[in-house]
PDB file of all heavy atoms in Angstrom:
ATOM      1  N   PRO A  61      19.450  63.857-184.406  1.00 98.00           N
ATOM      2  CA  PRO A  61      19.490  63.944-182.941  1.00 98.00           C
ATOM      3  C   PRO A  61      20.870  64.355-182.445  1.00 98.00           C
ATOM      4  O   PRO A  61      21.887  63.977-183.032  1.00 98.00           O
ATOM      5  CB  PRO A  61      19.149  62.518-182.482  1.00 98.00           C
ATOM      6  CG  PRO A  61      18.476  61.888-183.656  1.00 98.00           C
ATOM      7  CD  PRO A  61      19.083  62.503-184.876  1.00 98.00           C
ATOM      8  N   ILE A  62      20.889  65.121-181.377  1.00 98.00           N
ATOM      9  CA  ILE A  62      22.144  65.623-180.824  1.00 98.00           C
ATOM     10  C   ILE A  62      22.475  64.870-179.539  1.00 98.00           C
ATOM     11  O   ILE A  62      21.652  64.774-178.620  1.00 98.00           O
ATOM     12  CB  ILE A  62      22.055  67.133-180.533  1.00 98.00           C
ATOM     13  CG1 ILE A  62      21.790  67.891-181.845  1.00 98.00           C
ATOM     14  CG2 ILE A  62      23.335  67.635-179.865  1.00 98.00           C
ATOM     15  CD1 ILE A  62      21.568  69.382-181.643  1.00 98.00           C
ATOM     16  N   GLY A  63      23.687  64.345-179.472  1.00 98.00           N
ATOM     17  CA  GLY A  63      24.121  63.634-178.275  1.00 98.00           C
ATOM     18  C   GLY A  63      24.414  64.586-177.127  1.00 98.00           C
ATOM     19  O   GLY A  63      24.506  65.809-177.307  1.00 98.00           O
ATOM     20  N   LYS A  64      24.587  64.021-175.947  1.00 98.00           N
ATOM     21  CA  LYS A  64      24.850  64.816-174.745  1.00 98.00           C
ATOM     22  C   LYS A  64      26.334  64.746-174.384  1.00 98.00           C
ATOM     23  O   LYS A  64      26.971  63.700-174.521  1.00 98.00           O
ATOM     24  CB  LYS A  64      23.998  64.321-173.573  1.00 98.00           C
ATOM     25  CG  LYS A  64      22.499  64.492-173.783  1.00 98.00           C
ATOM     26  CD  LYS A  64      21.717  63.960-172.590  1.00 98.00           C
ATOM     27  CE  LYS A  64      20.227  64.249-172.733  1.00 98.00           C
ATOM     28  NZ  LYS A  64      19.647  63.615-173.933  1.00 98.00           N
ATOM     29  N   VAL A  65      26.863  65.872-173.905  1.00 98.00           N
ATOM     30  CA  VAL A  65      28.268  65.948-173.501  1.00 98.00           C
ATOM     31  C   VAL A  65      28.351  66.393-172.049  1.00 98.00           C
ATOM     32  O   VAL A  65      27.713  67.369-171.649  1.00 98.00           O
ATOM     33  CB  VAL A  65      29.060  66.931-174.385  1.00 98.00           C
ATOM     34  CG1 VAL A  65      30.500  67.053-173.897  1.00 98.00           C
ATOM     35  CG2 VAL A  65      29.040  66.469-175.844  1.00 98.00           C
ATOM     36  N   GLU A  66      29.127  65.667-171.273  1.00 98.00           N
ATOM     37  CA  GLU A  66      29.307  65.977-169.850  1.00 98.00           C
ATOM     38  C   GLU A  66      30.795  66.155-169.558  1.00 98.00           C
ATOM     39  O   GLU A  66      31.626  65.355-169.993  1.00 98.00           O
ATOM     40  CB  GLU A  66      28.756  64.827-169.001  1.00 98.00           C
ATOM     41  CG  GLU A  66      28.950  65.002-167.500  1.00 98.00           C
ATOM     42  CD  GLU A  66      28.481  63.792-166.709  1.00 98.00           C
ATOM     43  OE1 GLU A  66      28.178  62.749-167.340  1.00 98.00           O
ATOM     44  OE2 GLU A  66      28.424  63.887-165.473  1.00 98.00           O
ATOM     45  N   GLN A  67      31.146  67.209-168.830  1.00 98.00           N
ATOM     46  CA  GLN A  67      32.543  67.460-168.455  1.00 98.00           C
ATOM     47  C   GLN A  67      32.785  66.981-167.035  1.00 98.00           C
ATOM     48  O   GLN A  67      31.992  67.234-166.124  1.00 98.00           O
ATOM     49  CB  GLN A  67      32.884  68.949-168.553  1.00 98.00           C
ATOM     50  CG  GLN A  67      34.327  69.257-168.190  1.00 98.00           C
ATOM     51  CD  GLN A  67      34.678  70.736-168.353  1.00 98.00           C
ATOM     52  OE1 GLN A  67      33.959  71.482-169.003  1.00 98.00           O
ATOM     53  NE2 GLN A  67      35.784  71.162-167.774  1.00 98.00           N
ATOM     54  N   LEU A  68      33.913  66.279-166.846  1.00 98.00           N
ATOM     55  CA  LEU A  68      34.264  65.727-165.536  1.00 98.00           C
ATOM     56  C   LEU A  68      35.739  66.000-165.243  1.00 98.00           C
ATOM     57  O   LEU A  68      36.495  66.435-166.107  1.00 98.00           O
ATOM     58  CB  LEU A  68      33.994  64.224-165.510  1.00 98.00           C
ATOM     59  CG  LEU A  68      32.531  63.801-165.725  1.00 98.00           C
ATOM     60  CD1 LEU A  68      32.448  62.348-166.138  1.00 98.00           C
ATOM     61  CD2 LEU A  68      31.719  64.053-164.476  1.00 98.00           C
ATOM     62  N   ARG A  69      36.145  65.712-164.019  1.00 98.00           N
ATOM     63  CA  ARG A  69      37.522  65.934-163.601  1.00 98.00           C
ATOM     64  C   ARG A  69      38.062  64.650-162.980  1.00 98.00           C
ATOM     65  O   ARG A  69      37.344  63.942-162.270  1.00 98.00           O
ATOM     66  CB  ARG A  69      37.589  67.082-162.586  1.00 98.00           C
ATOM     67  CG  ARG A  69      38.981  67.404-162.051  1.00 98.00           C
ATOM     68  CD  ARG A  69      38.920  68.670-161.187  1.00 98.00           C
ATOM     69  NE  ARG A  69      40.185  68.945-160.519  1.00 98.00           N
ATOM     70  CZ  ARG A  69      40.520  68.463-159.332  1.00 98.00           C
ATOM     71  NH1 ARG A  69      39.665  67.687-158.660  1.00 98.00           N
ATOM     72  NH2 ARG A  69      41.699  68.757-158.795  1.00 98.00           N
ATOM     73  N   HIS A  70      39.326  64.353-163.247  1.00 98.00           N
ATOM     74  CA  HIS A  70      39.944  63.146-162.721  1.00 98.00           C
ATOM     75  C   HIS A  70      41.296  63.479-162.110  1.00 98.00           C
ATOM     76  O   HIS A  70      42.076  64.252-162.667  1.00 98.00           O
ATOM     77  CB  HIS A  70      40.144  62.112-163.839  1.00 98.00           C
ATOM     78  CG  HIS A  70      40.830  60.858-163.389  1.00 98.00           C
ATOM     79  ND1 HIS A  70      40.160  59.825-162.773  1.00 98.00           N
ATOM     80  CD2 HIS A  70      42.126  60.474-163.458  1.00 98.00           C
ATOM     81  CE1 HIS A  70      41.010  58.858-162.487  1.00 98.00           C
ATOM     82  NE2 HIS A  70      42.219  59.229-162.880  1.00 98.00           N
ATOM     83  N   VAL A  71      41.572  62.885-160.953  1.00 98.00           N
ATOM     84  CA  VAL A  71      42.874  63.006-160.302  1.00 98.00           C
ATOM     85  C   VAL A  71      43.465  61.605-160.216  1.00 98.00           C
ATOM     86  O   VAL A  71      42.877  60.715-159.608  1.00 98.00           O
ATOM     87  CB  VAL A  71      42.766  63.632-158.896  1.00 98.00           C
ATOM     88  CG1 VAL A  71      44.155  63.715-158.257  1.00 98.00           C
ATOM     89  CG2 VAL A  71      42.127  65.007-158.966  1.00 98.00           C
ATOM     90  N   SER A  72      44.618  61.404-160.836  1.00 96.00           N
ATOM     91  CA  SER A  72      45.218  60.072-160.884  1.00 96.00           C
ATOM     92  C   SER A  72      45.720  59.651-159.506  1.00 96.00           C
ATOM     93  O   SER A  72      46.343  60.440-158.792  1.00 96.00           O
ATOM     94  CB  SER A  72      46.385  60.051-161.875  1.00 96.00           C
ATOM     95  OG  SER A  72      45.932  60.310-163.181  1.00 96.00           O
ATOM     96  N   SER A  73      45.452  58.398-159.156  1.00 93.00           N
ATOM     97  CA  SER A  73      45.913  57.858-157.879  1.00 93.00           C
ATOM     98  C   SER A  73      46.937  56.747-158.071  1.00 93.00           C
ATOM     99  O   SER A  73      47.643  56.384-157.124  1.00 93.00           O
ATOM    100  CB  SER A  73      44.725  57.312-157.082  1.00 93.00           C
ATOM    101  OG  SER A  73      44.041  56.299-157.819  1.00 93.00           O
ATOM    102  N   LYS A  74      47.046  56.212-159.288  1.00 93.00           N
ATOM    103  CA  LYS A  74      47.966  55.101-159.561  1.00 93.00           C
ATOM    104  C   LYS A  74      48.989  55.518-160.609  1.00 93.00           C
ATOM    105  O   LYS A  74      50.054  56.021-160.283  1.00 93.00           O
ATOM    106  CB  LYS A  74      47.167  53.878-160.016  1.00 93.00           C
ATOM    107  CG  LYS A  74      46.156  53.378-158.977  1.00 93.00           C
ATOM    108  CD  LYS A  74      45.336  52.223-159.537  1.00 93.00           C
ATOM    109  CE  LYS A  74      44.282  51.764-158.549  1.00 93.00           C
ATOM    110  NZ  LYS A  74      43.430  50.673-159.102  1.00 93.00           N
ATOM    111  N   VAL A  75      48.633  55.324-161.865  1.00 96.00           N
ATOM    112  CA  VAL A  75      49.521  55.740-162.950  1.00 96.00           C
ATOM    113  C   VAL A  75      49.490  57.271-163.028  1.00 96.00           C
ATOM    114  O   VAL A  75      48.433  57.878-162.917  1.00 96.00           O
ATOM    115  CB  VAL A  75      49.060  55.139-164.288  1.00 96.00           C
ATOM    116  CG1 VAL A  75      50.060  55.462-165.395  1.00 96.00           C
ATOM    117  CG2 VAL A  75      48.863  53.634-164.162  1.00 96.00           C
ATOM    118  N   PHE A  76      50.639  57.889-163.192  1.00 97.00           N
ATOM    119  CA  PHE A  76      50.754  59.349-163.212  1.00 97.00           C
ATOM    120  C   PHE A  76      50.138  59.948-161.936  1.00 97.00           C
ATOM    121  O   PHE A  76      49.347  60.896-161.977  1.00 97.00           O
ATOM    122  CB  PHE A  76      50.074  59.951-164.440  1.00 97.00           C
ATOM    123  CG  PHE A  76      50.415  59.274-165.733  1.00 97.00           C
ATOM    124  CD1 PHE A  76      49.414  58.797-166.578  1.00 97.00           C
ATOM    125  CD2 PHE A  76      51.738  59.095-166.110  1.00 97.00           C
ATOM    126  CE1 PHE A  76      49.722  58.171-167.770  1.00 97.00           C
ATOM    127  CE2 PHE A  76      52.056  58.464-167.316  1.00 97.00           C
ATOM    128  CZ  PHE A  76      51.049  58.001-168.143  1.00 97.00           C
ATOM    129  N   ALA A  77      50.476  59.353-160.812  1.00 96.00           N
ATOM    130  CA  ALA A  77      49.877  59.741-159.527  1.00 96.00           C
ATOM    131  C   ALA A  77      49.952  61.246-159.297  1.00 96.00           C
ATOM    132  O   ALA A  77      50.995  61.873-159.473  1.00 96.00           O
ATOM    133  CB  ALA A  77      50.576  59.006-158.383  1.00 96.00           C
TER     134      ALA A  77
END
Side-chain angles (χ1 to χ4, degrees):
I62 299 175
K64 296 179 175 61
V65 177
E66 177 184 10
Q67 181 177 344
L68 298 161
R69 179 173 173 271
H70 178 82
V71 179
S72 297
S73 58
K74 300 176 183 178
V75 185
F76 313 126

